[in-house]
Amino acid sequence: MERNPIRRQLAIMRQSLFDQGHVDEQFVQLEELQDDANPNFVEEVVTLYYRDSARIILNIEQALERKPFDFGKLDAYMHQFKGSSSSIGAKKVKAESTLFRECCKSGNGEGCMRSFQQLKKEYATLRKKFGAYFQLARQAGPVETASRPK
Amino acid sequence: MAPTLPSGDQASDQDNWDNGRLAHKRQLLTEIVLRNRLTALVVGGDTTCRVLEQLLLRSYGVQTQGVDNGRDAIALIASGVKFNLIIIDMILSVLNGLEATRQIRDMGVHCKMLGVTACSGESERQAFLAAGVDVFIEKPLDPEHLVPILRELDGQ
């Protein structure tokens, strides 16, 4: 149990990311890759994800403005987005990506629009939570972690 | 930050089972030390995935290179660079993963190829295997899938 109040708060915040279903085990995988040589690795990867995925989100938005929908193209964009989201453990975002793809496969345009709106909400919510989490993590400072023999 | 687990007082049976699974995974993470120098090529169109896959490989001591499209992968291999392992994404720009895999195999490359994709539908799996990958997994690439492959390549 953390005695340091900031670290305790950080641990609670971290646990809530899992408990609320925002992240899954893959996030633990990211943490395992963080070490003394890369003390901000998780934050850097999440930042990279949001930077790169913004382009895909924009592509999907633009594709949804063109009628009739090109479901093949929409599916391809979301396929990429889903892979990227799953790599950082973004559980709810990944789940919405799957729903969107199912709508694409069944040619359900309305479903795509609804699913995409929900996806953007989850994406934004997670971004906010990560922002608060990493801000606190920076205040807490680096922790000594065991690193895998290289 | 070191991953934390629920305290013993509050852990349910499900928590204990989940913790046991996590502990087993971490054991897999730490229980491989490569005896040989292995090299890998990561062919991935998505930067986040490619960076993570490369870093995961490097954390095990595998020397890696990364390219973001199929054409550059073909060019690199055609230049004579050899790899023990190629990890290739299905969705690539310029030349997609299936076609790139076929061309790599047609070049006479027999190394282990691991196909990765965001969706593990049976048709995608069959298509990737038919193109020439040895193993097909759904993203994200994780130690549970990677470590057995590295052990095999290392002759362990």
Side-chain angles (χ1 to χ4, degrees), chain A residues 7 10-11 14-15 25-26 28-34 38 41 45 48-49 51-52 55-56 76 79-80 82-84 86-88 94 101 105 133 143-145 148-150, chain B residues 1-6 18 21-22 25-26 29-30 32-33 45-49 51-52 55-56 58-61 89-91 117-120 124 138-143:
Chain A
R7 293 219 159 273
L10 191 64
R14 177 186 176 275
Q15 191 61 45
E25 274 185 24
Q26 177 62 16
V28 177
Q29 175 59 41
L30 297 191
E31 292 175 319
E32 295 280 357
L33 289 173
Q34 183 160 292
N38 300 289
F41 172 72
V45 169
L48 176 65
Y49 162 74
R51 190 193 73 198
D52 278 2
R55 179 178 46 83
I56 307 175
H79 184 127
Q80 188 179 355
K82 183 186 170 187
S84 198
S86 70
S87 73
I88 67 156
K94 180 182 163 183
R101 293 194 73 205
K105 286 184 165 73
Y133 176 72
V143 180
E144 221 175 274
T145 53
R148 202 176 308 117
K150 295 213 172 17
Chain B
M1 175 180 180
T4 54
L5 302 172
D18 288 344
R21 252 181 75 211
L22 283 173
K25 269 190 143 174
R26 286 196 196 98
L29 272 175
T30 56
I32 177 170
V33 178
D46 179 78
T47 308
T48 308
C49 293
V51 162
L52 282 173
L55 204 61
L56 182 61
R58 283 178 189 151
S59 73
Y60 290 109
D89 202 333
M90 186 175 268
I91 304 287
T117 178
C119 187
S120 61
E124 281 167 325
E138 184 177 353
K139 286 183 183 180
L141 179 65
D142 65 0

Side-chain angles (χ1 to χ4, degrees), chain B residues 31-94:
Chain B
E31 277 190 3
I32 177 170
V33 178
L34 295 178
R35 295 192 284 246
N36 301 292
R37 179 177 163 272
L38 295 182
T39 57
L41 173 63
V42 177
V43 190
D46 179 78
T47 308
T48 308
C49 293
R50 192 177 68 251
V51 162
L52 282 173
E53 286 161 7
Q54 284 188 259
L55 204 61
L56 182 61
L57 285 161
R58 283 178 189 151
S59 73
Y60 290 109
V62 179
Q63 292 192 336
T64 78
Q65 287 190 52
V67 294
D68 67 3
N69 67 77
R71 182 185 59 194
D72 287 354
I74 301 290
L76 183 59
I77 292 166
S79 73
V81 182
K82 301 264 187 279
F83 298 99
N84 301 109
L85 173 66
I86 298 174
I87 295 176
I88 184 161
D89 202 333
M90 186 175 268
I91 304 287
L92 297 171
S93 62
V94 184

Side-chain angles (χ1 to χ4, degrees), chain A residues 69-99:
Chain A
F69 288 154
D70 183 341
F71 288 109
K73 190 175 265 187
L74 285 168
D75 185 59
Y77 284 139
M78 191 54 76
H79 184 127
Q80 188 179 355
F81 181 80
K82 183 186 170 187
S84 198
S85 303
S86 70
S87 73
I88 67 156
K91 190 175 176 182
K92 284 187 181 181
V93 173
K94 180 182 163 183
E96 275 310 319
S97 304
T98 300
L99 285 176

